[in-house]
Amino acid sequence: MKAVVLAAGKGTRLRPLTEDKPKVLVEVDDRPILADVFDTLIDVGIDEFVVVVGYLKERIIERFGDEYRGVPITYAHQRKQLGLAHALLTVEEHIDDDFVLMLGDNVFRANIQDVVNRQQETRTDAAFLVEQVPIEEASRYGVLRTNEYGEIVEVMEKPDDPPSNLVMTGFYTFSPAIFHACHLVQPSARGEYELPDAIDLLIQSGRTIDAIRMEGWRIDVGYPEDRARAEQRLRELDGRATAEGSNTPADADAGSGAEQAIEEGDATET
């Protein structure tokens, strides 16, 4: 199964760390976030990466080249950040079967294998890893409603009045049907082509989307404090955490020098 990784964002909330690098190259526990993403995906059986790049894309290409741990990498260029649905369309030509979609700035230590297994075993149209958060925080995320069978029946992007505290986490599986839905999406009030709008179109067309409750944890590294929190959690797993907490290491990216042609396209901030 292929994995699409969204890695085009500028990471403005992580500045000054992202002034000279895309946020997926910001280091967490002495390694780029994107390397952790790749390792996580390899562990669940991914055999090819399709990476959407944009801001300072050359840094990513120089760092990782055309493969990672023997898994080939194809790059798709996101020229404009116009929403996640728009980003997905940049990889359409590279996908012809079910695939994983993962945001390139998330650190997961959770049951993502369950999501992949659900997609492969039942041939559902999509499956999402979902998380319960305090209701007062739900408006920061894509919010979900499910039916009695655990199927997603509605998705709303950052609603003012969330109908539930169940939210998307940044790990999904899809069939190629998602691309047709992305083509039909209209710009939102903020001028972006929203992935939740494409998902709603799938639901309205009768497609089945399963919700898998998260076991474990994940951290969206959007702010410097998220980076420190992710480092602390990883060190706790390895038994390296101290009573004083973790120290944030200096970022130092070692480029591989590899060159890779970029597939041209359009597409979003991750």
Side-chain angles (χ1 to χ4, degrees):
M1 181 180 280
K2 294 181 180 180
V4 174
V5 180
L6 302 185
K10 294 181 178 179
T12 55
R13 295 171 297 183
L14 274 168
R15 287 179 179 169
L17 297 174
T18 53
E19 287 180 350
D20 63 348
K21 69 185 70 174
K23 65 179 173 178
V24 298
L25 291 187
V26 169
E27 292 192 354
V28 172
D29 202 18
D30 297 322
R31 60 204 300 265
I33 302 170
L34 189 56
D36 189 84
V37 168
F38 286 160
D39 284 334
T40 296
L41 291 168
I42 289 172
D43 286 347
V44 297
I46 294 304
D47 55 18
E48 184 174 343
F49 300 124
V50 183
V51 181
V52 180
V53 294
Y55 174 67
L56 297 178
K57 60 186 180 294
E58 297 84 4
R59 295 292 305 274
I60 297 173
I61 296 167
E62 289 169 1
R63 175 63 178 79
F64 290 101
D66 58 6
E67 68 172 40
Y68 179 84
R69 289 178 52 192
V71 176
I73 304 172
T74 298
Y75 297 95
H77 184 198
Q78 177 183 13
R79 295 179 181 178
K80 297 180 181 179
Q81 297 172 357
L82 296 176
L84 297 185
H86 194 236
L88 259 183
L89 291 178
T90 68
V91 306
E92 183 177 11
E93 65 180 290
H94 303 293
I95 303 296
D96 56 10
D97 203 347
D98 292 359
F99 67 98
V100 166
L101 173 66
M102 185 170 174
L103 304 187
D105 56 1
N106 278 223
V107 177
F108 276 92
R109 294 297 183 271
N111 55 320
I112 61 173
Q113 184 73 63
D114 293 342
V115 185
V116 176
N117 291 346
R118 180 68 58 88
Q119 187 79 25
Q120 292 176 329
E121 292 169 2
T122 67
R123 300 295 296 181
T124 187
D125 294 290
F128 302 165
L129 192 67
V130 303
E131 178 182 12
Q132 285 187 307
V133 300
I135 191 66
E136 61 270 17
E137 297 179 12
S139 61
R140 297 168 47 195
Y141 304 95
V143 178
L144 313 168
R145 283 198 311 109
T146 59
N147 62 19
E148 60 186 302
Y149 305 108
E151 298 168 349
I152 297 170
V153 296
E154 186 178 15
V155 181
M156 292 148 284
E157 177 67 9
K158 300 178 181 177
D160 293 331
D161 186 20
S164 81
N165 67 339
L166 199 63
V167 303
M168 296 192 289
T169 66
F171 190 89
Y172 320 79
T173 59
F174 287 105
S175 75
I178 188 62
F179 295 115
H180 179 65
C182 288
H183 279 291
L184 298 176
V185 167
Q186 298 300 308
S188 66
R190 59 179 183 167
E192 294 191 357
Y193 297 84
E194 310 283 4
L195 182 59
D197 291 344
I199 294 167
D200 260 342
L201 289 173
L202 284 182
I203 294 169
Q204 293 169 21
S205 68
R207 305 280 183 167
T208 299
I209 303 177
D210 288 342
I212 309 297
R213 300 296 180 106
M214 187 173 73
E215 298 173 7
W217 57 268
R218 65 109 187 188
I219 295 176
D220 176 357
V221 184
Y223 293 90
E225 56 266 34
D226 298 323
R227 179 196 188 208
R229 193 158 51 95
E231 289 184 330
Q232 181 69 14
R233 295 297 295 268
L234 291 173
R235 292 176 180 184
E236 288 171 356
L237 284 178
D238 292 342
R240 292 179 288 125
T242 66
E244 292 79 16
S246 62
N247 294 316
T248 302
D251 275 89
D253 294 326
S256 67
E259 296 294 331
Q260 170 76 30
I262 302 175
E263 296 292 338
E264 295 295 333
D266 298 311
T268 190
E269 167 82 6
T270 62

